[in-house]
Amino acid sequence: SEFLEADLCERKNGRTISVCLPARNEARTVESIVRTIRTELVERFNLVDELLVIDDHSTDTTAAVAANAGARVIEARHVLAEFGDGHGKGEALWKSLFAAEGDLVVWCDADIENFASRFVVGLVGPLLHHPDIVFVKGFYERPVYGAAGGGRVTELVARPLLSLLFPHLAGIMQPLAGEYAGRRDVLEQLPFTEGYGVDIGLLIDVADRAGVDAMAEVDLGTRIHRNRPLDELAPQASAILATVLSRAGRLDRNDAATTTKPRRDGTTVDIGTRPPLVQVSSYREESA
């Protein structure tokens, strides 16, 4: 591992790397993740140049523990405030790309219980070794489901949808994985779905813009994180369904939807889309 990290540092060639962690109420796990990145990849090897935590309206101590561990913490509602203080994972990713300065941007979820430096090293490796690769997606073994498969939403919603509507992406191991990295000059050209659909939306859009040959997958080993109960997965599945259908031209709606169950209040699902950052005037001004 040390030889690999040292090799990647030599291959940076002046490029900068930002690691961004979108987080909402992840105080239990985010501190360890930040400390690992800070200690091993910022201070020891100087591979990572910037470490951001985008706090998505947390009500716990996520922001405080992340800052204490060494991250630059940014509250999502304070970034691109002219677009509102919207909630959701996709919103946080979009705003993190705006706030980050790196030429290469790495995203990792903040709920990983067994986080190790390999998550970041594995994702940036192909980008530094292969100039024709623009986007890297992680896959991993989830002990609950086994090495070959994803979670319930992946196998019951995402994979069947891709097989039917985007068959060139049906072979992606874990299309909903939250660990991926890309080149800024590609990412800034893409729209970001505001909610849970962002992961699969970016996958489809990168393939459409750059082609599947410009994408890579990396085995990140084992990933342990909380397993959500089935009741909490319906909004996520709805967002993914809406995102894929919209990319396929089968759904025109672009705001929010409601997931309902008998005798229960409905749950609002964000399916809106933020524009590519190159279309945002304040981003163009900062980049000039």
Side-chain angles (χ1 to χ4, degrees):
S1 176
E2 292 184 3
F3 289 112
L4 175 59
E5 290 159 359
D7 173 67
L8 294 181
C9 288
E10 292 181 2
R11 291 178 180 274
K12 285 177 68 176
N13 292 327
R15 288 167 293 192
T16 53
I17 298 174
S18 297
V19 176
C20 301
L21 308 174
R24 177 187 291 180
N25 295 331
E26 301 292 0
R28 186 176 66 86
T29 50
V30 72
E31 180 177 11
S32 175
I33 295 172
V34 169
R35 288 195 187 281
T36 297
I37 298 172
R38 168 65 60 183
T39 301
E40 298 185 19
L41 301 180
V42 176
E43 297 172 356
R44 186 177 182 186
F45 285 102
N46 195 30
L47 179 65
V48 171
D49 301 282
E50 182 180 41
L51 175 55
L52 302 180
V53 168
I54 309 300
D55 184 23
D56 181 19
H57 304 82
S58 293
T59 56
D60 66 0
T61 59
T62 291
V65 298
N68 184 63
R72 179 161 72 97
V73 177
I74 298 175
E75 294 187 30
R77 66 176 180 270
H78 293 159
V79 180
L80 293 170
E82 64 269 28
F83 287 87
D85 64 349
H87 300 237
K89 181 180 180 181
E91 181 90 351
L93 294 186
W94 184 63
K95 291 183 173 184
S96 71
L97 182 60
F98 177 90
E101 299 179 357
D103 304 306
L104 307 180
V105 179
V106 181
W107 284 294
C108 291
D109 286 341
D111 66 341
I112 304 173
E113 298 178 7
N114 66 324
F115 187 88
S117 60
R118 69 176 185 275
F119 283 82
V120 175
V121 173
L123 292 169
V124 299
L127 296 173
L128 294 176
H129 274 269
H130 303 285
D132 55 331
I133 296 297
V134 305
F135 188 76
V136 181
K137 188 84 167 177
F139 69 91
Y140 32 75
E141 177 181 352
R142 299 177 69 193
V144 174
Y145 300 107
R152 290 160 289 177
V153 177
T154 294
E155 300 304 330
L156 297 177
V157 180
R159 201 177 307 285
L161 280 171
L162 292 177
S163 297
L164 289 169
L165 300 173
F166 297 94
H168 57 291
L169 296 174
I172 298 295
M173 292 289 289
Q174 287 171 334
L176 304 185
E179 285 67 50
Y180 44 88
R183 301 187 189 278
R184 173 176 294 276
D185 58 1
V186 172
L187 297 170
E188 66 185 5
Q189 305 282 338
L190 305 177
F192 278 61
T193 302
E194 292 177 50
Y196 283 121
V198 64
D199 301 325
I200 200 166
L202 287 173
L203 181 69
I204 293 169
D205 291 342
V206 171
D208 181 62
R209 173 171 289 273
V212 293
D213 290 340
M215 303 166 65
E217 290 186 272
V218 175
D219 186 349
L220 300 179
T222 301
R223 184 189 195 276
I224 300 173
H225 64 116
R226 68 176 179 272
N227 186 36
R228 295 181 183 275
L230 189 60
D231 275 357
E232 295 182 14
L233 298 182
Q236 182 180 4
S238 296
I240 290 159
L241 177 63
T243 300
V244 176
L245 290 178
S246 68
R247 294 301 192 274
R250 309 292 180 89
L251 183 69
D252 293 331
R253 192 168 182 175
N254 186 31
D255 46 19
T258 301
T259 298
T260 59
K261 292 185 178 181
R263 301 174 183 170
R264 295 190 184 182
D265 293 335
T267 300
T268 300
V269 179
D270 293 322
I271 58 174
T273 300
R274 291 305 192 189
L277 282 177
V278 291
Q279 297 178 10
V280 176
S281 58
S282 54
Y283 181 77
R284 294 198 304 269
E285 290 168 3
E286 287 200 8
S287 300

